[in-house]
Amino acid sequence: MTVLTLRTLTGRPVQILVDQEIGSGAEGVVYPVADSPHVCAKLYSDFTRAAQLGPRMEALTGLSPVLWGGDCPEHLHVAWPRTTLRDHSGQLRGVVVPRIDGTPMLRLLDPGRRADLLDEATWRSTFAVAARVGRLFDMLHGAGVVIGDVSPSNVLVDRHGHVTLLDCDGVQFTDPQTGLLHRGEKFTPEYAAPEVLDGRPLSREHDLFGLGVMICELIMEGQHPFGGVSTAQPPSESVEQNIKHHNNRVTRPDRLVPSADALTAEILPGKILDLIRQCFEEGYERPERRPNGRAWAYELDQAAYQMMGCRYNPRHAYHRSSVACVWCARIVAGYGDHFPPPADWTMPLDAPVRGGLMLAPAPTTLSTYPAPPAPVNGREAAPPAVVPSRSSKQLRTIALIALIALIVLVIIVVAAL
Ligand SMILES: [Zn+2]
């Protein structure tokens, strides 16, 4: 075991297990810490860069947004750096950050793996995750923090769908002690606002553009709203160029070459489509018009509570504005099952198959569940799971058949006597 000992600002030694790498990024490598499973150490690869980061990291670790309760008091929503780490000469080498279990958000979009990563692997749960990301952005913006590097690889999701923001050392914030603005420097082009791609500084509104893109991606099964080849000549070659040229698949579908297997915006609830338009149309050139995290969270929560279950698959959930299960329709169209049922699930004999008739199964309503609770201090109650159940009409039919069978049996017995 190779151990590197560094010290916190107060002189406390921290033993870092540098032969057991947890992960790495553009700026450094993350290692376990010997005496605590709850934290890890991020060590910067570039010593010159680390020296420049000194004042920023001291100011950042002085803030304490780790105390934010978010939507689950037991869950840590922000992997905020706890303390800086210095070598024997006082040189900054890294930071101590919380160690959190979970999986990067984009992995949730793999239908084959989703059920292994989430307790409730349904479309409804992706809305719940998206709503939590909205609340997380709202909390950080309320504290004056600009995230800057908005990306689904910087959001970790646990089995219950709770989210944590990673890589917080690059955020933009003002030091309350000195009043000094520490600017964010990094951004991921695929989630950057058009004005930032044109060279303007990072801002809260830039975060909100990226939030809209991430939410679209989450609820549209990984389809990036600005992904694809443009219909214009010469065609755009990247997501970044499509953002610059205002080519997106949801509000301007004619500007991108159609993809046969793409999900269409019709499956989305109307209020969510309104927010997408507000973000990518009105808010494209007027950043102040982009919906904030709270607005997204409210409508996503509402939509999640308006989901219907499907009697063919307990993991199929679709919005009540659709006439039938959109995921069964995908199976019939030959695109496979986005939400494969549990292994022990017995599929009804009349379940839709590829190329078969798209039936309109009686939806199992969730309307008996209570309305979504209003957030209290930013916290929310756990939403109900999608549980398919027989409708009352079906139950009445079954009872009638049983009664007729009983009468016939009595007649046969009486006739035999
Ligand atoms: Zn279905």
Side-chain angles (χ1 to χ4, degrees):
M1 188 187 297
T2 311
V3 176
L4 171 69
T5 302
L6 297 174
R7 291 184 181 276
T8 66
L9 197 62
T10 57
R12 180 181 164 181
V14 176
Q15 294 188 314
I16 301 153
L17 310 178
V18 288
D19 55 355
Q20 299 175 30
E21 181 179 321
I22 296 173
S24 62
E27 286 206 306
V29 183
V30 180
Y31 300 103
V33 167
D35 59 350
S36 174
H38 304 298
V39 294
C40 47
K42 176 178 175 178
L43 302 187
Y44 297 113
S45 311
D46 183 342
F47 284 19
T48 312
R49 171 85 181 129
Q52 293 166 351
L53 284 173
R56 153 184 269 276
M57 299 317 296
E58 294 303 349
L60 193 64
T61 51
L63 302 176
S64 56
V66 287
L67 299 175
W68 293 336
D71 62 2
C72 174
E74 297 82 35
H75 183 80
L76 198 59
H77 294 84
V78 186
W80 202 260
R82 295 271 173 88
T83 181
T84 51
L85 291 169
R86 292 173 183 275
D87 62 18
H88 62 278
S89 65
Q91 166 76 48
L92 182 84
R93 294 287 306 278
V95 284
V96 172
V97 290
R99 189 170 179 176
I100 295 158
D101 287 333
T103 186
M105 200 164 79
L106 269 188
R107 287 208 196 129
L108 297 188
L109 303 170
D110 178 349
R113 298 195 58 197
R114 185 158 36 199
D116 299 329
L117 304 172
L118 279 178
D119 285 344
E120 188 208 320
T122 69
W123 198 41
R124 201 197 66 85
S125 66
T126 64
F127 275 65
V129 169
R132 290 188 178 111
V133 176
R135 267 194 294 282
L136 179 59
F137 272 53
D138 201 52
M139 283 193 288
L140 287 162
H141 288 163
V145 172
V146 170
I147 295 160
D149 192 10
V150 177
S151 161
S153 54
N154 286 344
V155 179
L156 209 65
V157 184
D158 77 1
R159 290 204 59 82
H160 310 294
H162 291 123
V163 298
T164 302
L165 185 72
L166 304 176
D167 265 351
C168 303
D169 43 352
V171 299
Q172 178 168 302
F173 66 102
T174 301
D175 184 350
Q177 308 286 331
T178 62
L180 190 67
L181 173 68
H182 292 273
R183 288 201 174 277
E185 297 163 357
K186 285 192 299 181
F187 64 86
T188 300
E190 288 81 5
Y191 300 88
E195 68 274 11
V196 167
L197 292 176
D198 277 345
R200 281 169 53 189
L202 297 174
S203 63
R204 173 182 165 277
E205 287 72 27
H206 151 81
D207 284 359
L208 294 179
F209 189 88
L211 175 66
V213 173
M214 278 206 306
I215 288 173
C216 262
E217 217 175 11
L218 250 182
I219 62 178
M220 295 288 279
E221 292 288 275
Q223 285 176 203
H224 194 295
F226 291 84
V229 178
S230 73
T231 50
Q233 291 298 331
S236 61
E237 293 172 356
S238 66
V239 168
E240 186 179 340
Q241 283 186 359
N242 280 333
I243 293 176
K244 278 186 172 179
H245 297 141
H246 206 171
N247 303 329
N248 89 73
R249 208 169 274 291
V250 185
T251 61
R252 300 185 170 209
D254 56 311
R255 301 185 74 150
L256 291 169
V257 175
S259 165
D261 64 345
L263 289 170
T264 59
E266 282 90 70
I267 67 164
L268 296 176
K271 294 281 181 65
I272 299 297
L273 265 177
D274 289 346
L275 288 181
I276 293 174
R277 288 192 195 99
Q278 198 183 323
C279 190
F280 298 155
E281 289 297 322
E282 296 164 62
Y284 185 83
E285 288 184 342
R286 296 174 59 197
E288 73 281 4
R289 292 288 301 136
R290 293 170 193 159
N292 63 26
R294 190 182 311 174
W296 278 112
Y298 178 79
E299 292 301 348
L300 287 161
D301 275 340
Q302 292 289 321
Y305 278 89
Q306 292 162 354
M307 293 277 178
M308 313 293 285
C310 163
R311 78 180 184 88
Y312 295 127
N313 182 331
R315 290 192 180 138
H316 281 189
Y318 61 98
H319 191 250
R320 69 184 184 189
S321 56
S322 298
V323 292
C325 176
V326 296
W327 310 114
C328 281
R330 296 282 293 177
I331 294 172
V332 171
Y335 299 123
D337 198 343
H338 287 250
F339 299 91
D344 58 353
W345 170 253
T346 306
M347 192 68 80
L349 291 174
D350 59 341
V353 292
R354 178 183 175 150
L357 274 178
M358 177 50 206
L359 307 170
T364 57
T365 178
L366 299 178
S367 60
T368 50
Y369 284 106
V376 179
N377 295 332
R379 292 176 187 176
E380 61 164 0
V386 174
V387 181
S389 60
R390 291 183 188 280
S391 68
S392 56
K393 192 176 169 187
Q394 283 177 306
L395 288 174
R396 277 201 301 275
T397 308
I398 291 167
L400 191 63
I401 291 168
L403 185 64
I404 292 169
L406 187 66
I407 292 168
V408 170
L409 188 66
V410 169
I411 292 169
I412 291 169
V413 171
V414 170
L417 291 175

